[in-house]
Amino acid sequence: MLNRLKILKRLRLARNAYRHGRAICDYPPLKLWVELVNGWAPAAASKMEFGLFRRIVDQSASYVAEMELSYRGESLLHPLLPQMIAYARKMGIVTCLETSAAGMSEGKSVKIIEAGLDRITLWLDRSAAETGGGAQEDNIVANIEDFLRIREELGRSSPYCVIALSNTGDRFVGLSALDDVKSRLDHSGAERIVLSEPGREEPPGMGLNRDELEQVRVCFPCPYLWYSMVILCDGSITLCCRDWENANPLGSIIETRLESLWNGETMTTVRELHVRKEYGQIELCSGCNVIWKPRMSGRPKIELSRCSGILLSACRRLRSILSGARGRGKDFFSDI
């Protein structure tokens, strides 16, 4: 089990490696995305076996601070999700989950809260909800309210809850409509409510070729490459959390340890290209908005939020252990 105080040292190493553009990192990854389910329909979704999940946790518990238990599918479809949350937590890993509020039920709410989940993001895609009619939207909002009510009734302060109101798809309903939904949820008890809309973060220079793109963008190396890895439901490891098609496979945790792939040839080459700002040589990265997101005090906001979030997660978990109230701390790590 990872000593949470060691995270401070790991964070310092990660920030220094990122700032100085080191392609080889003298520390293991701080965060893992673990794809428990690949797919959104119950009949067609592929699910990670519990034995594989346990192998991932056992191998990474000595260095991973946080584990996101979702990627390209609806993790609520996994029948062993509560057991997976509980096992990761038992091994000292902060657990997070992003899920559609449409799939939440009272039974699932009770199980994942009691399992000790640290953070949950409940997505409400309002465009999709409106396609199904106003009743569907009302049901989703009711699911969110029920989840937070159950958390209160159980006497828990975790998981820390983020409600993400998305406005994607073919039916763009406008931010004013999203504000209406937000006003309904303002007193739900959620720690944070986020509004988003399509096109808000469209990269400058879209439509230009790669050479022209390099000239108009003000970019920086992607922080994901210096602190996280992604494991798919079959054990495959992909380059980045934005590599939805697994076009840049690194290997498999079934055959190779994570530490070896973390500083493997592919990872180090891509880090070097990012340091030289040669994003055009990587198809996945050339059109990604992460490399041009806003900065704060000269540092990319995404890098600051990741590191500060992991630190806050660790500190709150350590405090809960010392106070004898393990399982009641909130996780302030945010991917929104």
Side-chain angles (χ1 to χ4, degrees):
M1 183 180 296
L2 178 63
N3 182 340
R4 294 293 155 180
L5 295 178
K6 291 182 179 179
I7 297 177
L8 293 170
K9 180 179 179 181
R10 297 272 174 83
L11 285 172
R12 179 178 59 81
L13 292 173
R15 288 175 67 90
N16 287 341
Y18 177 80
R19 289 177 173 178
H20 296 289
R22 297 174 188 146
I24 297 179
C25 302
D26 55 349
Y27 57 89
L30 288 162
K31 175 170 181 171
L32 293 180
W33 270 269
V34 180
E35 181 185 68
L36 301 185
V37 176
N38 181 2
W40 306 94
S46 300
K47 301 177 181 66
M48 177 177 285
E49 295 180 0
F50 186 83
L52 176 56
F53 178 78
R54 182 169 54 194
R55 180 174 186 167
I56 293 169
V57 172
D58 291 347
Q59 187 180 130
S60 63
S62 63
Y63 54 80
V64 165
E66 185 169 283
M67 189 173 286
E68 183 76 48
L69 301 178
S70 50
Y71 186 48
R72 301 176 303 176
E74 177 51 76
S75 295
L76 290 177
L77 295 177
H78 204 299
L80 299 180
L81 174 61
Q83 291 91 323
M84 291 172 161
I85 293 171
Y87 186 73
R89 186 170 179 81
K90 174 185 175 182
M91 299 300 287
I93 298 175
V94 171
T95 55
C96 308
L97 180 68
E98 291 195 16
T99 179
S100 167
M104 188 62 69
S105 67
E106 182 169 343
K108 290 178 180 178
S109 297
V110 171
K111 288 180 180 180
I112 63 176
I113 292 172
E114 291 185 337
L117 185 69
D118 290 282
R119 177 183 183 274
I120 188 169
T121 299
L122 296 170
W123 283 92
L124 169 55
D125 187 333
R126 195 169 191 275
S127 299
E130 285 218 337
T131 301
Q136 181 174 346
E137 180 180 301
D138 289 338
N139 289 337
I140 295 174
V141 173
N143 288 345
I144 295 173
E145 293 172 333
D146 287 344
F147 178 84
L148 292 163
R149 172 184 56 79
I150 291 169
R151 185 184 67 172
E152 182 178 3
E153 291 176 353
L154 291 174
R156 303 294 183 93
S157 59
S158 62
Y160 179 89
C161 182
V162 177
I163 300 174
L165 303 178
S166 177
N167 196 17
T168 59
D170 297 330
R171 297 190 57 173
F172 178 64
V173 296
L175 281 181
S176 60
L178 284 176
D179 284 332
D180 292 340
V181 179
K182 180 179 180 297
S183 66
R184 294 169 58 185
L185 292 168
D186 274 337
H187 303 291
S188 63
E191 282 72 20
R192 186 181 178 196
I193 300 178
V194 179
L195 299 180
S196 65
E197 62 175 314
R200 176 177 286 184
E201 298 191 47
E202 182 174 304
M206 288 297 285
L208 301 177
N209 63 43
R210 291 181 179 178
D211 292 335
E212 294 170 329
L213 195 60
E214 296 293 338
Q215 298 176 21
V216 300
R217 280 187 179 176
V218 179
C219 301
F220 57 85
C222 175
Y224 289 116
L225 298 171
W226 274 265
Y227 87 96
S228 66
M229 297 187 82
V230 181
I231 304 176
L232 306 183
C233 65
D234 63 354
S236 301
I237 301 172
T238 190
L239 176 64
C240 169
C241 61
R242 302 299 178 96
D243 191 0
W244 301 105
E245 303 300 326
N246 193 20
N248 302 273
L250 302 179
S252 171
I253 193 170
I254 298 174
E255 302 171 353
T256 312
R257 294 189 63 84
L258 282 173
E259 301 95 311
S260 299
L261 299 174
W262 175 242
N263 282 316
E265 182 179 356
T266 301
M267 284 293 287
T268 54
T269 299
V270 173
R271 289 184 189 126
E272 289 172 352
L273 291 172
H274 271 246
V275 170
R276 297 198 299 266
K277 296 189 176 183
E278 296 178 5
Y279 311 108
Q281 295 192 37
I282 315 166
E283 184 175 358
L284 175 67
C285 305
S286 62
C288 182
N289 65 358
V290 171
I291 59 177
W292 60 266
K293 282 188 175 181
R295 296 172 178 242
M296 179 184 295
S297 301
R299 305 308 306 167
K301 286 184 180 179
I302 189 171
E303 181 225 352
L304 294 171
S305 67
R306 296 295 183 267
C307 291
S308 61
I310 291 176
L311 176 59
L312 284 168
S313 295
C315 289
R316 291 189 69 90
R317 176 65 66 81
L318 178 61
R319 187 179 71 177
S320 71
I321 293 173
L322 294 176
S323 65
R326 186 168 185 152
R328 300 178 62 85
K330 297 176 186 176
D331 168 39
F332 287 84
F333 192 100
S334 174
D335 286 325
I336 304 300

mmCIF file of all heavy atoms in Angstrom, residues 144-186:
data_model
loop_
_atom_site.group_PDB
_atom_site.id
_atom_site.type_symbol
_atom_site.label_atom_id
_atom_site.label_comp_id
_atom_site.label_asym_id
_atom_site.label_seq_id
_atom_site.Cartn_x
_atom_site.Cartn_y
_atom_site.Cartn_z
ATOM 1 N N ILE A 144 -30.097 11.938 -10.134
ATOM 2 C CA ILE A 144 -29.025 12.701 -9.490
ATOM 3 C C ILE A 144 -29.440 13.123 -8.090
ATOM 4 O O ILE A 144 -28.683 12.976 -7.118
ATOM 5 C CB ILE A 144 -28.664 13.928 -10.344
ATOM 6 C CG1 ILE A 144 -28.076 13.493 -11.697
ATOM 7 C CG2 ILE A 144 -27.681 14.834 -9.598
ATOM 8 C CD1 ILE A 144 -27.838 14.632 -12.667
ATOM 9 N N GLU A 145 -30.643 13.637 -7.982
ATOM 10 C CA GLU A 145 -31.138 14.071 -6.670
ATOM 11 C C GLU A 145 -31.232 12.894 -5.702
ATOM 12 O O GLU A 145 -30.892 13.022 -4.515
ATOM 13 C CB GLU A 145 -32.498 14.747 -6.837
ATOM 14 C CG GLU A 145 -32.428 16.067 -7.605
ATOM 15 C CD GLU A 145 -33.796 16.629 -7.933
ATOM 16 O OE1 GLU A 145 -34.755 15.834 -8.054
ATOM 17 O OE2 GLU A 145 -33.906 17.869 -8.066
ATOM 18 N N ASP A 146 -31.663 11.741 -6.212
ATOM 19 C CA ASP A 146 -31.774 10.549 -5.359
ATOM 20 C C ASP A 146 -30.399 10.098 -4.871
ATOM 21 O O ASP A 146 -30.246 9.687 -3.707
ATOM 22 C CB ASP A 146 -32.455 9.410 -6.123
ATOM 23 C CG ASP A 146 -33.946 9.636 -6.303
ATOM 24 O OD1 ASP A 146 -34.503 10.497 -5.598
ATOM 25 O OD2 ASP A 146 -34.544 8.951 -7.163
ATOM 26 N N PHE A 147 -29.402 10.135 -5.754
ATOM 27 C CA PHE A 147 -28.054 9.723 -5.373
ATOM 28 C C PHE A 147 -27.545 10.573 -4.215
ATOM 29 O O PHE A 147 -27.010 10.049 -3.232
ATOM 30 C CB PHE A 147 -27.109 9.829 -6.570
ATOM 31 C CG PHE A 147 -25.685 9.473 -6.246
ATOM 32 C CD1 PHE A 147 -25.264 8.152 -6.256
ATOM 33 C CD2 PHE A 147 -24.760 10.453 -5.911
ATOM 34 C CE1 PHE A 147 -23.952 7.811 -5.941
ATOM 35 C CE2 PHE A 147 -23.454 10.126 -5.590
ATOM 36 C CZ PHE A 147 -23.056 8.801 -5.613
ATOM 37 N N LEU A 148 -27.720 11.868 -4.327
ATOM 38 C CA LEU A 148 -27.229 12.769 -3.287
ATOM 39 C C LEU A 148 -28.048 12.639 -2.000
ATOM 40 O O LEU A 148 -27.516 12.769 -0.894
ATOM 41 C CB LEU A 148 -27.246 14.204 -3.812
ATOM 42 C CG LEU A 148 -26.215 14.439 -4.920
ATOM 43 C CD1 LEU A 148 -26.529 15.702 -5.700
ATOM 44 C CD2 LEU A 148 -24.808 14.507 -4.346
ATOM 45 N N ARG A 149 -29.335 12.350 -2.137
ATOM 46 C CA ARG A 149 -30.165 12.117 -0.962
ATOM 47 C C ARG A 149 -29.712 10.856 -0.225
ATOM 48 O O ARG A 149 -29.596 10.846 1.017
ATOM 49 C CB ARG A 149 -31.631 11.981 -1.383
ATOM 50 C CG ARG A 149 -32.560 11.537 -0.246
ATOM 51 C CD ARG A 149 -33.974 11.316 -0.742
ATOM 52 N NE ARG A 149 -34.053 10.352 -1.846
ATOM 53 C CZ ARG A 149 -34.003 9.034 -1.689
ATOM 54 N NH1 ARG A 149 -33.845 8.508 -0.472
ATOM 55 N NH2 ARG A 149 -34.102 8.230 -2.733
ATOM 56 N N ILE A 150 -29.420 9.801 -0.991
ATOM 57 C CA ILE A 150 -28.971 8.543 -0.388
ATOM 58 C C ILE A 150 -27.625 8.738 0.315
ATOM 59 O O ILE A 150 -27.409 8.217 1.414
ATOM 60 C CB ILE A 150 -28.868 7.450 -1.471
ATOM 61 C CG1 ILE A 150 -30.273 7.086 -1.965
ATOM 62 C CG2 ILE A 150 -28.154 6.210 -0.937
ATOM 63 C CD1 ILE A 150 -30.280 6.227 -3.212
ATOM 64 N N ARG A 151 -26.742 9.503 -0.314
ATOM 65 C CA ARG A 151 -25.452 9.769 0.325
ATOM 66 C C ARG A 151 -25.655 10.445 1.680
ATOM 67 O O ARG A 151 -24.995 10.103 2.666
ATOM 68 C CB ARG A 151 -24.587 10.658 -0.582
ATOM 69 C CG ARG A 151 -23.177 10.884 -0.053
ATOM 70 C CD ARG A 151 -22.392 11.839 -0.917
ATOM 71 N NE ARG A 151 -22.930 13.203 -0.880
ATOM 72 C CZ ARG A 151 -22.325 14.255 -1.429
ATOM 73 N NH1 ARG A 151 -21.172 14.093 -2.065
ATOM 74 N NH2 ARG A 151 -22.875 15.448 -1.354
ATOM 75 N N GLU A 152 -26.576 11.392 1.724
ATOM 76 C CA GLU A 152 -26.853 12.091 2.983
ATOM 77 C C GLU A 152 -27.478 11.149 4.002
ATOM 78 O O GLU A 152 -27.122 11.161 5.188
ATOM 79 C CB GLU A 152 -27.773 13.278 2.719
ATOM 80 C CG GLU A 152 -28.084 14.100 3.962
ATOM 81 C CD GLU A 152 -28.952 15.299 3.667
ATOM 82 O OE1 GLU A 152 -29.361 15.464 2.491
ATOM 83 O OE2 GLU A 152 -29.232 16.069 4.599
ATOM 84 N N GLU A 153 -28.415 10.326 3.564
ATOM 85 C CA GLU A 153 -29.079 9.394 4.484
ATOM 86 C C GLU A 153 -28.108 8.378 5.065
ATOM 87 O O GLU A 153 -28.277 7.921 6.207
ATOM 88 C CB GLU A 153 -30.219 8.680 3.759
ATOM 89 C CG GLU A 153 -31.395 9.591 3.418
ATOM 90 C CD GLU A 153 -32.467 8.885 2.607
ATOM 91 O OE1 GLU A 153 -32.224 7.726 2.193
ATOM 92 O OE2 GLU A 153 -33.533 9.475 2.391
ATOM 93 N N LEU A 154 -27.092 8.006 4.280
ATOM 94 C CA LEU A 154 -26.077 7.063 4.753
ATOM 95 C C LEU A 154 -25.046 7.734 5.653
ATOM 96 O O LEU A 154 -24.169 7.068 6.204
ATOM 97 C CB LEU A 154 -25.374 6.397 3.565
ATOM 98 C CG LEU A 154 -26.228 5.429 2.736
ATOM 99 C CD1 LEU A 154 -25.456 4.965 1.507
ATOM 100 C CD2 LEU A 154 -26.670 4.232 3.569
ATOM 101 N N GLY A 155 -25.142 9.055 5.768
ATOM 102 C CA GLY A 155 -24.210 9.779 6.621
ATOM 103 C C GLY A 155 -22.810 9.880 6.057
ATOM 104 O O GLY A 155 -21.837 9.971 6.812
ATOM 105 N N ARG A 156 -22.699 9.884 4.734
ATOM 106 C CA ARG A 156 -21.389 9.935 4.083
ATOM 107 C C ARG A 156 -21.118 11.314 3.486
ATOM 108 O O ARG A 156 -22.035 11.982 3.000
ATOM 109 C CB ARG A 156 -21.309 8.897 2.964
ATOM 110 C CG ARG A 156 -21.561 7.464 3.396
ATOM 111 C CD ARG A 156 -20.481 6.945 4.337
ATOM 112 N NE ARG A 156 -20.698 5.555 4.678
ATOM 113 C CZ ARG A 156 -20.154 4.528 4.028
ATOM 114 N NH1 ARG A 156 -19.376 4.749 2.983
ATOM 115 N NH2 ARG A 156 -20.405 3.292 4.409
ATOM 116 N N SER A 157 -19.882 11.715 3.504
ATOM 117 C CA SER A 157 -19.478 12.938 2.808
ATOM 118 C C SER A 157 -18.797 12.609 1.487
ATOM 119 O O SER A 157 -18.441 13.499 0.722
ATOM 120 C CB SER A 157 -18.529 13.765 3.681
ATOM 121 O OG SER A 157 -17.375 13.001 4.010
ATOM 122 N N SER A 158 -18.597 11.336 1.213
ATOM 123 C CA SER A 158 -18.042 10.903 -0.052
ATOM 124 C C SER A 158 -18.994 9.891 -0.683
ATOM 125 O O SER A 158 -19.780 9.236 0.025
ATOM 126 C CB SER A 158 -16.654 10.268 0.153
ATOM 127 O OG SER A 158 -16.747 9.123 0.973
ATOM 128 N N PRO A 159 -18.991 9.793 -2.016
ATOM 129 C CA PRO A 159 -18.042 10.429 -2.926
ATOM 130 C C PRO A 159 -18.323 11.923 -3.149
ATOM 131 O O PRO A 159 -19.481 12.344 -3.110
ATOM 132 C CB PRO A 159 -18.246 9.656 -4.237
ATOM 133 C CG PRO A 159 -19.683 9.227 -4.184
ATOM 134 C CD PRO A 159 -19.942 8.908 -2.736
ATOM 135 N N TYR A 160 -17.245 12.656 -3.374
ATOM 136 C CA TYR A 160 -17.354 14.036 -3.821
ATOM 137 C C TYR A 160 -18.078 13.996 -5.163
ATOM 138 O O TYR A 160 -17.712 13.239 -6.056
ATOM 139 C CB TYR A 160 -15.949 14.612 -3.973
ATOM 140 C CG TYR A 160 -15.875 16.037 -4.449
ATOM 141 C CD1 TYR A 160 -15.896 17.095 -3.536
ATOM 142 C CD2 TYR A 160 -15.743 16.334 -5.798
ATOM 143 C CE1 TYR A 160 -15.799 18.400 -3.968
ATOM 144 C CE2 TYR A 160 -15.648 17.637 -6.234
ATOM 145 C CZ TYR A 160 -15.677 18.676 -5.323
ATOM 146 O OH TYR A 160 -15.579 19.963 -5.755
ATOM 147 N N CYS A 161 -19.113 14.809 -5.320
ATOM 148 C CA CYS A 161 -19.979 14.683 -6.490
ATOM 149 C C CYS A 161 -19.896 15.896 -7.405
ATOM 150 O O CYS A 161 -20.096 17.036 -6.967
ATOM 151 C CB CYS A 161 -21.421 14.469 -6.049
ATOM 152 S SG CYS A 161 -22.574 14.239 -7.417
ATOM 153 N N VAL A 162 -19.613 15.639 -8.668
ATOM 154 C CA VAL A 162 -19.628 16.659 -9.707
ATOM 155 C C VAL A 162 -20.767 16.332 -10.669
ATOM 156 O O VAL A 162 -20.874 15.194 -11.140
ATOM 157 C CB VAL A 162 -18.297 16.692 -10.490
ATOM 158 C CG1 VAL A 162 -18.370 17.725 -11.623
ATOM 159 C CG2 VAL A 162 -17.143 17.014 -9.564
ATOM 160 N N ILE A 163 -21.628 17.296 -10.926
ATOM 161 C CA ILE A 163 -22.676 17.130 -11.925
ATOM 162 C C ILE A 163 -22.220 17.862 -13.182
ATOM 163 O O ILE A 163 -21.972 19.064 -13.155
ATOM 164 C CB ILE A 163 -24.018 17.699 -11.452
ATOM 165 C CG1 ILE A 163 -24.472 16.990 -10.170
ATOM 166 C CG2 ILE A 163 -25.075 17.552 -12.545
ATOM 167 C CD1 ILE A 163 -25.718 17.588 -9.559
ATOM 168 N N ALA A 164 -22.077 17.132 -14.281
ATOM 169 C CA ALA A 164 -21.614 17.705 -15.543
ATOM 170 C C ALA A 164 -22.784 17.774 -16.511
ATOM 171 O O ALA A 164 -23.304 16.744 -16.945
ATOM 172 C CB ALA A 164 -20.480 16.871 -16.127
ATOM 173 N N LEU A 165 -23.214 18.984 -16.825
ATOM 174 C CA LEU A 165 -24.303 19.200 -17.770
ATOM 175 C C LEU A 165 -23.706 19.425 -19.140
ATOM 176 O O LEU A 165 -23.101 20.461 -19.414
ATOM 177 C CB LEU A 165 -25.150 20.403 -17.347
ATOM 178 C CG LEU A 165 -25.740 20.325 -15.937
ATOM 179 C CD1 LEU A 165 -26.515 21.596 -15.633
ATOM 180 C CD2 LEU A 165 -26.624 19.109 -15.790
ATOM 181 N N SER A 166 -23.850 18.431 -20.004
ATOM 182 C CA SER A 166 -23.258 18.479 -21.334
ATOM 183 C C SER A 166 -24.308 18.867 -22.359
ATOM 184 O O SER A 166 -25.489 18.574 -22.206
ATOM 185 C CB SER A 166 -22.652 17.115 -21.693
ATOM 186 O OG SER A 166 -22.141 17.117 -22.993
ATOM 187 N N ASN A 167 -23.849 19.521 -23.422
ATOM 188 C CA ASN A 167 -24.762 19.985 -24.472
ATOM 189 C C ASN A 167 -24.188 19.571 -25.819
ATOM 190 O O ASN A 167 -23.782 20.385 -26.620
ATOM 191 C CB ASN A 167 -24.906 21.501 -24.401
ATOM 192 C CG ASN A 167 -26.115 21.982 -25.189
ATOM 193 O OD1 ASN A 167 -27.000 21.198 -25.517
ATOM 194 N ND2 ASN A 167 -26.145 23.257 -25.490
ATOM 195 N N THR A 168 -24.119 18.259 -26.022
ATOM 196 C CA THR A 168 -23.502 17.724 -27.228
ATOM 197 C C THR A 168 -24.543 17.073 -28.109
ATOM 198 O O THR A 168 -25.721 17.009 -27.771
ATOM 199 C CB THR A 168 -22.426 16.690 -26.869
ATOM 200 O OG1 THR A 168 -23.043 15.634 -26.116
ATOM 201 C CG2 THR A 168 -21.328 17.323 -26.050
ATOM 202 N N GLY A 169 -24.095 16.568 -29.242
ATOM 203 C CA GLY A 169 -25.004 15.869 -30.141
ATOM 204 C C GLY A 169 -25.597 16.792 -31.180
ATOM 205 O O GLY A 169 -25.167 17.922 -31.378
ATOM 206 N N ASP A 170 -26.630 16.314 -31.859
ATOM 207 C CA ASP A 170 -27.213 17.063 -32.963
ATOM 208 C C ASP A 170 -28.138 18.183 -32.495
ATOM 209 O O ASP A 170 -28.351 19.155 -33.200
ATOM 210 C CB ASP A 170 -28.013 16.113 -33.874
ATOM 211 C CG ASP A 170 -27.122 15.062 -34.510
ATOM 212 O OD1 ASP A 170 -25.941 15.380 -34.736
ATOM 213 O OD2 ASP A 170 -27.612 13.953 -34.772
ATOM 214 N N ARG A 171 -28.701 18.046 -31.314
ATOM 215 C CA ARG A 171 -29.658 19.042 -30.844
ATOM 216 C C ARG A 171 -28.980 19.985 -29.871
ATOM 217 O O ARG A 171 -28.791 19.682 -28.698
ATOM 218 C CB ARG A 171 -30.850 18.371 -30.177
ATOM 219 C CG ARG A 171 -31.628 17.494 -31.120
ATOM 220 C CD ARG A 171 -32.918 17.066 -30.470
ATOM 221 N NE ARG A 171 -33.717 18.226 -30.069
ATOM 222 C CZ ARG A 171 -34.957 18.123 -29.606
ATOM 223 N NH1 ARG A 171 -35.529 16.954 -29.501
ATOM 224 N NH2 ARG A 171 -35.622 19.201 -29.252
ATOM 225 N N PHE A 172 -28.598 21.151 -30.365
ATOM 226 C CA PHE A 172 -27.957 22.144 -29.519
ATOM 227 C C PHE A 172 -29.042 23.008 -28.913
ATOM 228 O O PHE A 172 -29.726 23.751 -29.605
ATOM 229 C CB PHE A 172 -26.977 22.992 -30.334
ATOM 230 C CG PHE A 172 -26.320 24.080 -29.523
ATOM 231 C CD1 PHE A 172 -25.495 23.734 -28.476
ATOM 232 C CD2 PHE A 172 -26.539 25.407 -29.815
ATOM 233 C CE1 PHE A 172 -24.883 24.726 -27.721
ATOM 234 C CE2 PHE A 172 -25.924 26.401 -29.065
ATOM 235 C CZ PHE A 172 -25.092 26.060 -28.016
ATOM 236 N N VAL A 173 -29.258 22.923 -27.614
ATOM 237 C CA VAL A 173 -30.382 23.579 -26.979
ATOM 238 C C VAL A 173 -30.033 24.925 -26.347
ATOM 239 O O VAL A 173 -30.903 25.632 -25.880
ATOM 240 C CB VAL A 173 -31.017 22.661 -25.900
ATOM 241 C CG1 VAL A 173 -31.597 21.432 -26.552
ATOM 242 C CG2 VAL A 173 -29.984 22.278 -24.846
ATOM 243 N N GLY A 174 -28.736 25.287 -26.338
ATOM 244 C CA GLY A 174 -28.352 26.594 -25.833
ATOM 245 C C GLY A 174 -28.016 26.583 -24.355
ATOM 246 O O GLY A 174 -28.565 25.823 -23.573
ATOM 247 N N LEU A 175 -27.090 27.466 -23.971
ATOM 248 C CA LEU A 175 -26.664 27.517 -22.582
ATOM 249 C C LEU A 175 -27.766 28.004 -21.652
ATOM 250 O O LEU A 175 -27.790 27.675 -20.475
ATOM 251 C CB LEU A 175 -25.431 28.422 -22.449
ATOM 252 C CG LEU A 175 -24.098 27.786 -22.860
ATOM 253 C CD1 LEU A 175 -22.978 28.776 -22.655
ATOM 254 C CD2 LEU A 175 -23.829 26.527 -22.064
ATOM 255 N N SER A 176 -28.679 28.825 -22.156
ATOM 256 C CA SER A 176 -29.770 29.287 -21.305
ATOM 257 C C SER A 176 -30.604 28.103 -20.820
ATOM 258 O O SER A 176 -31.064 28.065 -19.677
ATOM 259 C CB SER A 176 -30.647 30.280 -22.067
ATOM 260 O OG SER A 176 -31.209 29.668 -23.223
ATOM 261 N N ALA A 177 -30.802 27.111 -21.711
ATOM 262 C CA ALA A 177 -31.541 25.914 -21.316
ATOM 263 C C ALA A 177 -30.755 25.104 -20.291
ATOM 264 O O ALA A 177 -31.322 24.544 -19.351
ATOM 265 C CB ALA A 177 -31.851 25.066 -22.548
ATOM 266 N N LEU A 178 -29.443 25.038 -20.460
ATOM 267 C CA LEU A 178 -28.623 24.343 -19.482
ATOM 268 C C LEU A 178 -28.680 25.049 -18.136
ATOM 269 O O LEU A 178 -28.680 24.419 -17.076
ATOM 270 C CB LEU A 178 -27.173 24.263 -19.971
ATOM 271 C CG LEU A 178 -26.869 23.237 -21.059
ATOM 272 C CD1 LEU A 178 -25.418 23.351 -21.494
ATOM 273 C CD2 LEU A 178 -27.171 21.837 -20.598
ATOM 274 N N ASP A 179 -28.723 26.368 -18.156
ATOM 275 C CA ASP A 179 -28.829 27.129 -16.913
ATOM 276 C C ASP A 179 -30.121 26.788 -16.168
ATOM 277 O O ASP A 179 -30.157 26.781 -14.942
ATOM 278 C CB ASP A 179 -28.773 28.625 -17.203
ATOM 279 C CG ASP A 179 -27.357 29.093 -17.518
ATOM 280 O OD1 ASP A 179 -26.414 28.461 -17.014
ATOM 281 O OD2 ASP A 179 -27.205 30.071 -18.262
ATOM 282 N N ASP A 180 -31.184 26.509 -16.922
ATOM 283 C CA ASP A 180 -32.448 26.138 -16.295
ATOM 284 C C ASP A 180 -32.298 24.826 -15.513
ATOM 285 O O ASP A 180 -32.803 24.695 -14.393
ATOM 286 C CB ASP A 180 -33.550 25.979 -17.351
ATOM 287 C CG ASP A 180 -33.926 27.303 -17.990
ATOM 288 O OD1 ASP A 180 -33.628 28.355 -17.383
ATOM 289 O OD2 ASP A 180 -34.493 27.284 -19.102
ATOM 290 N N VAL A 181 -31.603 23.861 -16.143
ATOM 291 C CA VAL A 181 -31.378 22.583 -15.454
ATOM 292 C C VAL A 181 -30.480 22.794 -14.238
ATOM 293 O O VAL A 181 -30.703 22.231 -13.167
ATOM 294 C CB VAL A 181 -30.749 21.555 -16.412
ATOM 295 C CG1 VAL A 181 -30.484 20.243 -15.684
ATOM 296 C CG2 VAL A 181 -31.657 21.320 -17.610
ATOM 297 N N LYS A 182 -29.449 23.628 -14.414
ATOM 298 C CA LYS A 182 -28.527 23.897 -13.308
ATOM 299 C C LYS A 182 -29.268 24.481 -12.116
ATOM 300 O O LYS A 182 -29.004 24.121 -10.965
ATOM 301 C CB LYS A 182 -27.426 24.851 -13.765
ATOM 302 C CG LYS A 182 -26.413 25.200 -12.671
ATOM 303 C CD LYS A 182 -25.343 26.120 -13.207
ATOM 304 C CE LYS A 182 -24.327 26.462 -12.123
ATOM 305 N NZ LYS A 182 -24.944 27.204 -10.991
ATOM 306 N N SER A 183 -30.198 25.390 -12.379
ATOM 307 C CA SER A 183 -30.934 26.005 -11.276
ATOM 308 C C SER A 183 -31.741 24.968 -10.501
ATOM 309 O O SER A 183 -31.943 25.098 -9.294
ATOM 310 C CB SER A 183 -31.845 27.111 -11.809
ATOM 311 O OG SER A 183 -32.871 26.572 -12.641
ATOM 312 N N ARG A 184 -32.187 23.911 -11.192
ATOM 313 C CA ARG A 184 -32.940 22.849 -10.526
ATOM 314 C C ARG A 184 -32.050 21.996 -9.631
ATOM 315 O O ARG A 184 -32.524 21.356 -8.689
ATOM 316 C CB ARG A 184 -33.617 21.962 -11.571
ATOM 317 C CG ARG A 184 -34.695 22.664 -12.376
ATOM 318 C CD ARG A 184 -35.133 21.818 -13.567
ATOM 319 N NE ARG A 184 -35.628 20.510 -13.166
ATOM 320 C CZ ARG A 184 -35.970 19.554 -14.035
ATOM 321 N NH1 ARG A 184 -35.856 19.779 -15.341
ATOM 322 N NH2 ARG A 184 -36.428 18.391 -13.608
ATOM 323 N N LEU A 185 -30.739 21.978 -9.955
ATOM 324 C CA LEU A 185 -29.818 21.114 -9.224
ATOM 325 C C LEU A 185 -28.935 21.870 -8.237
ATOM 326 O O LEU A 185 -28.144 21.258 -7.522
ATOM 327 C CB LEU A 185 -28.930 20.357 -10.214
ATOM 328 C CG LEU A 185 -29.646 19.321 -11.087
ATOM 329 C CD1 LEU A 185 -28.732 18.860 -12.222
ATOM 330 C CD2 LEU A 185 -30.112 18.127 -10.265
ATOM 331 N N ASP A 186 -29.072 23.200 -8.204
ATOM 332 C CA ASP A 186 -28.198 24.005 -7.355
ATOM 333 C C ASP A 186 -28.273 23.620 -5.883
ATOM 334 O O ASP A 186 -27.302 23.764 -5.140
ATOM 335 C CB ASP A 186 -28.531 25.496 -7.508
ATOM 336 C CG ASP A 186 -27.796 26.123 -8.690
ATOM 337 O OD1 ASP A 186 -26.755 25.561 -9.086
ATOM 338 O OD2 ASP A 186 -28.254 27.150 -9.208
#
